[in-house]
Amino acid sequence: MNKQIVKTLSLVALTGAFMAASTIATFAENDGIAPGSPAGTWTGAVSVNEHAVPFQLELSGIGDSVHGVFVNGKERSASSSGSYSQGHLILHFDYYANTLDATLKDGTLTGTFSGRGKSIPMTALLNDKQPVADANAPHIAGVWDVAVENGAKGEHSWKLRVRQNGALVDAVIERIDGDTGNLYGAWRNGAFEVSHFTAAGPSFAVLQPQPDGNLKLQTAAHGGGLQSFSARRVPAVRQVVLEGADDPLHHTYLKNPDEPLAFRFPDLNGKLVANTDPQFKDKVLIVSIGGSWCPNCHDEAPFLEELYRKYHSRGLEIVDLSFEEESQLQNPVRLRAVIQRYGLTYPVLIAGTPDQLNEKIQHVANLNCWPTTFFVGKDGLVKAIHTGYAGPATGEDNRKLQDEITLQLEGLLAERGSRAHATSIQVAKAQ
């Protein structure tokens, strides 16, 4: 085994926190790799903005039946299909249109993780050991308020949640458009470097305690560059009411609340579906703006399907307006994979490309987040607009959001007739 590779990976594989342990079969070959199979647990790292993002990849099967799983704590991101032949490994993650293409040689797995016009070099070793965390880790568990001045979506603050077990932490950053998902890490070299590598790709953040008790948060920006922020701990007595300056019910608004939310787009079979269709008359309608490339939209989709199955017989309709890249518009294989993965039975329409969002959805201001969800009453008018989605990684915030949406939905369904005017939460610009 190449000593330089071992040394490099030992330096960059900074986190192994909470990664599920696996029982690895004993193979006949000296390097532990069975002939004709890459099966085992591979540990490696990729570089994102010069920061190491470790990954753990479990492989099983042979030939055209190879199966791969990225492991992050208790979370598992499985491949859709895979193959292995003569040292060449291919794993497809269709529900994000990403592909792992690697070569196994001299006990090292080397290749790329590619999708959406990006290709990330990656290297991994079989059963490589994770570095031990440093001693005397400071206590950073709790909720932190991250000051953001004029963020990418016009936001002013983020919420950082940290859970901690000794030197090990997992964290999640909540923004106006959703959350980062769980990021795992350990205390090393004066900071907690937290990250994950899923089917959607890598993500990371650095949490560095400061002498004044605050945290310095460094993470990748939407455009790919690095951003640094200051975070202050929120006292426990304030955590239940922490709203910050950014309210997802007030971020996006209608230019004229008395106009219906108009749409007319094709489904995957080419059939045009419009808000004026008879199937929506006198019905409560949820319209979700999303895209199959969007992790927060993936988080929202199973919940919307749950609502649809529970309330459809009572008059609920749901429509997803999906904005896809040009290549996916021609053949929306990723969108089909998402529909299959989550068992979606409500209509999914192809609305255009992401840069056409405001062109295609007119009369809506500050519409810049995926997902954005509109709640339409039986009278055809929008009653509430929710920006972003707090996914399962946010814990109690996810449960609270689902409860609030369910309560709002039941209130709209209880209204009688098309002339009913349910109370709107805030769909016009705040004065």
Side-chain angles (χ1 to χ4, degrees), residues 50-280:
E50 300 182 355
H51 282 265
V53 176
F55 66 86
Q56 182 171 330
L57 175 66
E58 293 182 357
L59 296 176
S60 59
I62 59 174
D64 291 333
S65 299
V66 168
H67 185 67
V69 179
F70 284 113
V71 180
N72 297 275
K74 297 180 180 179
E75 303 168 69
R76 300 172 65 83
S77 298
S79 61
S80 307
S81 61
S83 64
Y84 181 77
S85 176
Q86 298 181 340
H88 186 202
L89 172 69
I90 295 286
L91 294 176
H92 297 290
F93 299 84
D94 292 346
Y95 52 103
Y96 277 111
N98 286 327
T99 299
L100 188 154
D101 187 330
T103 299
L104 178 55
K105 184 178 180 180
D106 298 331
T108 303
L109 197 63
T110 305
T112 58
F113 186 82
S114 303
R116 298 192 70 197
K118 298 180 180 179
S119 183
I120 305 172
M122 59 193 310
T123 305
L125 301 175
L126 183 66
N127 301 336
D128 196 36
K129 294 183 179 180
Q130 299 288 345
V132 178
D134 291 345
N136 302 317
H139 180 74
I140 65 167
V143 178
W144 298 76
D145 185 21
V146 183
V148 180
E149 292 298 329
N150 194 25
K153 305 297 183 180
E155 71 270 41
H156 299 86
S157 66
W158 297 343
K159 183 189 294 185
L160 168 67
R161 286 185 177 273
V162 182
R163 292 174 286 270
Q164 184 170 1
N165 181 12
L168 307 179
V169 300
D170 71 89
V172 57
I173 302 169
E174 300 181 48
R175 302 176 298 222
I176 190 66
D177 56 349
D179 63 270
T180 59
N182 284 313
L183 303 170
Y184 303 90
W187 173 249
R188 288 181 59 80
N189 300 320
F192 293 92
E193 294 207 6
V194 294
S195 63
H196 68 217
F197 198 118
T198 70
S203 182
F204 82 95
V206 179
L207 312 176
Q208 187 173 32
Q210 300 297 298
D212 60 2
N214 290 338
L215 280 180
K216 178 183 178 182
L217 167 65
Q218 187 177 53
T219 188
H222 282 284
L226 287 177
Q227 291 179 310
S228 293
F229 307 97
S230 178
R232 59 183 180 85
R233 192 190 297 271
V234 179
V237 293
R238 285 193 53 223
Q239 290 179 15
V240 294
V241 296
L242 176 64
E243 296 294 340
D246 306 303
D247 184 349
L249 285 170
H250 293 78
H251 181 81
T252 303
Y253 57 91
L254 301 179
K255 297 176 183 178
N256 183 355
D258 295 323
E259 289 186 2
L261 179 69
F263 61 84
R264 188 173 184 267
F265 303 112
D267 64 15
L268 273 69
N269 296 316
K271 177 186 176 183
L272 286 172
V273 178
N275 63 297
T276 53
D277 289 348
Q279 71 192 76
F280 303 126

